[in-house]
């Protein structure tokens, strides 16, 4: 420990394990990148190609991949079978270990990091003749998972979570019947660490910790502190620690608080998802967004992992309720994503979905079992059952916007007293929104140098022309901004890179 005294104040610089714990807040993104995408249920080979063909070139920083370890095979192959582990073998419907390793290598090579959704709160729930995606068998009813191996002594005693006001119950009982591992046991910790350190050695940059709310923070701390450093052969600086973002649902009013986890890593901010959905659905006025952040009850920016929707709440699982916006409300969804990406708050994740009609429906398949690859259209969009929100111009161009304006501040906030707002990010970018049912058409301060700029929402720069709306910024930084109420998009955005 180094102690420095300055006048009245004593600053302590802690080295060693607590220094390492701090580094768990850093996503380890390649320089100049800011935003990850969840490629929900994609196959490893398809993600590798997507890193090279689209994500790298468009400036995405990383990919959250679906769980990588062996899961139970459930009838009709619902998406949620992947949250019922059978073993830590790296074989799922997304691919095998060799394909996973190859994906991590290829993505890192083009500056796109891989984050794994890791499920270690629990194993699979009761099921007769349980069989996994790598061919392992188990008997969840007797808590026997021989392919790890785990036996009944590795689990908490059987009880059901039905009261979220009882923290002991939430952490020691079974979430929807999933066999609840006891992470205070050294055998259990060692198996989890073998699994996670193997992923680190394969080159991943961090983890989404599934159901972290259901694990004791003290047990998580012990596990996190034993993570290996990131693999320097994948371009990480020596001593880099895995990025940790923990799934803790806290909309208020329950026994467990998100703040119990902020010392350990970043935490999912579900209030951000619920609030941004409410605003852009018209339940709150856009002008109130002027203090977006902790004033809304959110975690501090550096602790907050933010998203418009996730794989649960886009289909009514988990938390956020009917306020959550999804691809099914395309105009408002694009506006919410554009605001999340334009405003300097939190560590954002873009959702990329497959289309669904019911909440259990799994990803598109070729034969009812094997996951089908997305089909790419000439305009960058996907078909074959894949929505690919991350390939919507209005979203990927705002990822580019966030990269360009990073480390700048909000300036010149403007609103019309209702649902039209605009702001600058220093002199790097300008964005405007119209969620009123009448046109926005007025002169606004863009803070940008004089010139003609291409709106990256209605189109994009193509050589020396713009495929969408363009605008002339005068020598005073002002421009006439127009977003008509009947336009496809309620956003207008320009930045120093979109100058013609
Ligand atoms: C499936 C079947 C079940 C079956 C089970 C076992 O659907 O019927 O019993 O298998 O055979 C996913 C699916 C589950 C699926 C599971 C296993 O969503 O349907 O069960 O795989 O295959 C809680 C947890 C949170 C969890 C969320 C879904 O705290 O960790 O439930 N999310 C993660 C994953 C998720 C996964 C798992 C965990 C399990 O992202 O995909 O499950 O690995 C309150 C609490 C929340 C709680 C919700 C649950 O939320 O605060 O902590 O989330 O209840 O409903 C308002 C409140 C809000 C409240 C919410 C809902 O919004 O403000 O606080 O209402 O009541």
């Amino acid at each position: 420990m180094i102690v420095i005294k300055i006048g009245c104040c004593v600053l302590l610089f802690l080295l060693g394990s607590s220094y390492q714990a701090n580094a768990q807040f850093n996503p380890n993104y390649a320089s100049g990148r800011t935003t990850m995408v969840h490629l929900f249920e994609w196959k490893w080979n398809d993600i590798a190609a997507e890193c090279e063909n689209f994500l790298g070139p468009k400036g995405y920083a990383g990919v959250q991949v679906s769980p990588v370890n062996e899961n139970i095979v459930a009838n009709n192959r619902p998406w949620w079978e992947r949250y019922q582990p059978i073993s830590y073998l790296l074989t799922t419907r997304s691919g095998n270990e060799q394909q996973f390793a190859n994906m991590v290598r290829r993505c890192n090579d083009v500056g796109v990091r891989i984050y794994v959704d890791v499920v270690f709160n629990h194993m699979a729930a009761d099921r007769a003749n349980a069989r996994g995606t790598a061919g392992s068998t188990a008997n969840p009813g007797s808590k026997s998972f021989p392919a790890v191996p785990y036996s009944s002594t590795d689990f908490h005693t059987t009880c059901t979570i039905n009261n979220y006001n009882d923290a002991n119950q939430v952490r020691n009982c079974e979430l929807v019947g999933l066999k609840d591992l006891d992470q205070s046991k050294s055998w259990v910790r060692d198996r989890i660490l073998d699994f996670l350190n193997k992923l680190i050695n394969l080159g991943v940059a961090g983890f989404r910790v599934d159901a972290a709310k259901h694990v004791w923070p003290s047990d998580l701390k012990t596990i996190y502190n034993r993570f290996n450093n990131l693999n320097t052969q994948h371009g990480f600086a020596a001593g880099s620690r895995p990025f940790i973002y923990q799934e803790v649902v806290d909309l208020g009013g329950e026994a467990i608080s998100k703040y119990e986890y902020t010392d350990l890593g970043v935490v999912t901010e579900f209030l951000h998802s619920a609030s941004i959905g409410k605003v852009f659905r018209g339940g709150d006025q856009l002008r109130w967004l002027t203090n977006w952040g902790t004033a809304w009850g959110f975690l501090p920016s550096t602790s907050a992992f933010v998203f418009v929707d996730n794989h649960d709440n886009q289909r009514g699982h988990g938390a956020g309720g009917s306020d959550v916006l999804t691809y099914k409300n395309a105009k408002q969804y694009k506006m919410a994503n554009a605001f999340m990406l334009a405003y300097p708050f939190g560590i954002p994740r873009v959702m990329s979905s497959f289309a669904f009609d019911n909440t259990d429906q799994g990803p598109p398949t070729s034969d009812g079992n094997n996951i089908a690859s997305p089909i790419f259209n000439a305009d960058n969009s996907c078909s074959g059952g894949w929505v690919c929100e991350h390939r919507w111009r209005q979203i990927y161009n705002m990822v580019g916007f966030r990269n360009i304006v990073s480390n700048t501040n909000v300036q010149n906030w403007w609103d019309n007293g209702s649902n039209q707002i605009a702001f600058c990010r220093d002199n790097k970018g300008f964005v405007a929104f119209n969620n009123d049912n009448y046109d926005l058409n007025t002169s606004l301060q863009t803070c940008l140098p004089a010139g003609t700029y291409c709106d990256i929402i209605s189109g994009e720069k193509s050589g020396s022309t713009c495929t969408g709306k363009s605008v002339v910024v005068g020598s005073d930084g002002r421009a006439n901004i127009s977003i008509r109420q009947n336009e496809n998009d309620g956003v207008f955005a320009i930045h120093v890179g979109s100058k013609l």
Side-chain angles (χ1 to χ4, degrees):
M1 186 194 298
I2 301 170
V3 182
I4 300 176
K5 284 190 177 180
I6 308 170
C8 63
C9 314
V10 179
L11 300 179
L12 301 179
F13 290 92
L14 300 168
L15 296 177
S17 62
S18 45
Y19 167 75
Q20 292 186 335
N22 283 338
Q24 293 169 171
F25 297 86
N26 180 349
N28 304 298
Y29 288 153
S31 167
R33 299 183 187 242
T34 59
T35 305
M36 73 166 77
V37 54
H38 181 194
L39 293 181
F40 181 44
E41 288 276 17
W42 279 46
K43 291 185 287 184
W44 307 152
N45 287 348
D46 294 336
I47 293 176
E50 190 70 348
C51 285
E52 294 166 346
N53 300 331
F54 194 85
L55 301 175
K58 294 295 185 200
Y60 279 95
V63 182
Q64 178 185 312
V65 302
S66 283
V68 296
N69 60 302
E70 181 176 22
N71 62 265
I72 203 160
V73 175
N75 297 339
N76 303 319
R77 312 305 304 265
W79 63 271
W80 47 251
E81 68 171 35
R82 296 186 74 156
Y83 292 87
Q84 300 206 26
I86 284 267
S87 81
Y88 298 128
L89 298 170
L90 303 190
T91 300
T92 64
R93 284 206 288 175
S94 286
N96 61 29
E97 179 171 337
Q98 181 260 323
Q99 291 164 327
F100 178 79
N102 180 267
M103 168 192 73
V104 177
R105 165 60 65 196
R106 287 168 62 187
C107 289
N108 276 327
D109 281 352
V110 294
V112 181
R113 303 309 194 193
I114 297 294
Y115 303 83
V116 178
D117 188 356
V118 288
V119 184
F120 60 80
N121 167 63
H122 54 262
M123 299 295 281
D126 282 3
R127 176 176 296 271
N129 305 316
R131 187 174 57 81
T133 47
S136 304
T137 55
N139 186 349
S142 62
K143 302 180 180 174
S144 169
F145 295 87
V148 180
Y150 286 137
S151 62
S152 59
T153 54
D154 298 317
F155 293 82
H156 289 124
T157 51
T158 301
C159 50
T160 302
I161 299 174
N162 49 35
N163 177 10
Y164 275 96
N165 286 315
D166 179 348
N168 287 302
Q169 191 184 96
V170 173
R171 284 163 176 156
N172 292 340
C173 294
E174 294 176 354
L175 169 64
V176 295
L178 300 160
K179 299 302 163 194
D180 199 56
L181 284 165
D182 182 349
Q183 291 83 4
S184 71
K185 307 236 161 161
S186 62
W187 175 265
V188 174
R189 287 176 177 170
D190 289 351
R191 300 292 72 71
I192 292 169
L193 279 157
D194 286 351
F195 166 41
L196 300 181
N197 279 328
K198 178 172 182 174
L199 297 177
I200 291 169
N201 295 345
L202 287 173
V204 309
F207 304 114
R208 167 194 186 263
V209 179
D210 182 71
K213 176 177 177 175
H214 301 273
V215 184
W216 291 98
S218 54
D219 290 337
L220 289 176
K221 185 174 187 183
T222 308
I223 291 170
Y224 298 166
N225 281 337
R226 288 176 56 199
F227 283 163
N228 292 347
N229 288 335
L230 298 183
N231 188 339
T232 53
Q233 290 171 3
H234 281 261
F236 298 108
S240 299
R241 300 295 293 160
F243 178 52
I244 294 168
Y245 56 109
Q246 307 164 97
E247 191 224 6
V248 179
V249 176
D250 178 9
L251 297 178
E254 285 183 16
I256 293 173
S257 154
K258 57 196 174 190
Y259 294 98
E260 292 174 55
Y261 291 82
T262 48
D263 284 350
L264 305 174
V266 168
V267 178
T268 52
E269 182 49 275
F270 278 84
L271 214 47
H272 177 282
S273 173
S275 304
I276 207 166
K278 186 175 179 196
V279 169
F280 284 94
R281 278 179 185 276
D284 245 336
Q285 291 190 325
L286 263 60
R287 65 173 166 144
W288 302 125
L289 291 171
T290 179
N291 62 357
W292 190 240
T294 51
W296 288 65
F298 304 161
L299 291 162
S301 183
T302 52
S303 292
F305 189 84
V306 299
F307 43 92
V308 174
D309 59 333
N310 80 346
H311 72 279
D312 281 331
N313 68 13
Q314 71 170 190
R315 49 175 52 69
H317 291 232
S322 55
D323 283 334
V324 174
L325 279 168
T326 74
Y327 74 88
K328 296 184 189 224
N329 316 88
K331 184 171 181 178
Q332 275 68 35
Y333 186 69
K334 286 180 281 185
M335 292 175 78
N337 271 281
F339 182 80
M340 172 180 78
L341 293 167
Y343 200 89
F345 179 80
I347 300 163
R349 176 185 59 200
V350 167
M351 179 70 202
S352 185
S353 322
F354 57 82
F356 61 90
D357 303 312
N358 76 70
T359 78
D360 292 334
Q361 188 179 330
T365 66
S366 49
D367 57 1
N369 277 300
N370 290 296
I371 299 179
S373 296
I375 296 164
F376 303 117
N377 307 317
D379 66 353
N380 277 328
S381 66
C382 292
S383 49
W386 299 94
V387 182
C388 295
E389 296 91 321
H390 72 287
R391 280 175 164 261
W392 294 2
R393 182 186 64 245
Q394 299 85 347
I395 292 181
Y396 67 72
N397 272 346
M398 286 307 296
V399 170
F401 181 101
R402 192 175 185 87
N403 292 344
I404 284 184
V405 304
S406 67
N407 301 318
T408 66
N409 297 310
V410 171
Q411 305 281 2
N412 289 75
W413 178 277
W414 169 87
D415 65 61
N416 69 340
S418 164
N419 291 297
Q420 299 180 350
I421 60 169
F423 57 90
C424 306
R425 291 292 304 271
D426 288 352
N427 56 356
K428 291 283 182 59
F430 167 85
V431 66
F433 295 79
N434 180 10
N435 206 31
D436 273 326
N437 53 9
Y438 50 89
D439 295 350
L440 184 165
N441 189 3
T442 190
S443 168
L444 294 173
Q445 177 54 254
T446 69
C447 312
L448 291 172
T452 304
Y453 291 81
C454 180
D455 169 32
I456 59 169
I457 302 297
S458 57
E460 52 201 347
K461 224 168 96 171
S462 169
S464 57
T465 58
C466 176
T467 61
K469 301 192 278 190
S470 51
V471 71
V472 178
V473 173
S475 54
D476 58 356
R478 299 190 74 86
N480 196 72
I481 306 298
S482 162
I483 308 174
R484 291 189 307 280
Q485 62 152 319
N486 60 1
E487 286 185 41
N488 288 334
D489 296 307
V491 187
F492 176 94
I494 52 180
H495 56 64
V496 287
S498 80
K499 191 169 178 210
L500 295 175

